[in-house]
Amino acid sequence: MSVQIILDLTADFNADSLVQIDTGGFDYSVVQLVSPTGSVSFKHSNDSGDVQSVSDGNATSATNFEDVQGVNLADGSGVTSLAVSGLVRFQSYGRYLQLSGTAATATKVLVRLYKIH
């Protein structure tokens, strides 16, 4: 049995060409981009940006992102970015997932998170 949640991050991504989410507790994720206007990079981090004795940090304050490779579900290739419509599966990555681009927008930015019991 599995639990899943689908996040529609379109408005957040289109506002800043950037979105960061906390994926802790999930086993894998699938990102779907529909008609992006530019290249969207995939990055991950375990650094919540916490300040000792002040804040635990969160997805918004997360920092020190590094490239993460996912599997393009159309052809099975490893990718760290996508400039066309498609789905990318991430099996192993840090606690925070970041999608970013330079003046990029998309018709849809959907993330499906899976937890297998």
Side-chain angles (χ1 to χ4, degrees), residues 12 18 29 32 37 39 50 53 57 70-71 82 101 105 110 113 115:
D12 292 332
L18 173 74
S29 64
Q32 181 173 10
T37 61
S39 184
D50 67 327
S53 301
V71 176
L82 201 60
T105 61
L110 304 172
L113 302 169
K115 176 67 179 171

Side-chain angles (χ1 to χ4, degrees), residues 1-109:
M1 182 176 175
S2 67
V3 175
Q4 55 188 320
I5 184 171
I6 298 175
L7 305 173
D8 185 341
L9 304 174
T10 308
D12 292 332
F13 181 80
N14 288 344
D16 297 317
S17 299
L18 173 74
V19 67
Q20 296 175 181
I21 59 172
D22 185 339
T23 56
F26 290 95
D27 294 315
Y28 67 95
S29 64
V30 176
V31 173
Q32 181 173 10
L33 298 177
V34 178
S35 303
T37 61
S39 184
V40 178
S41 298
F42 308 115
K43 298 178 184 272
H44 66 149
S45 178
N46 282 322
D47 188 346
S48 66
D50 67 327
V51 177
Q52 189 171 1
S53 301
V54 176
S55 164
D56 290 335
N58 55 47
T60 303
S61 63
T63 188
N64 295 317
F65 283 89
E66 299 291 334
D67 290 339
V68 63
Q69 181 172 299
V71 176
N72 185 330
L73 295 179
D75 59 16
S77 64
V79 297
T80 58
S81 65
L82 201 60
V84 296
S85 294
L87 289 101
V88 178
R89 179 182 168 144
F90 298 94
Q91 184 66 39
S92 180
Y93 51 91
R95 180 175 174 188
Y96 302 99
L97 180 64
Q98 179 190 75
L99 310 178
S100 63
T102 302
T105 61
T107 303
K108 286 279 186 180
V109 178

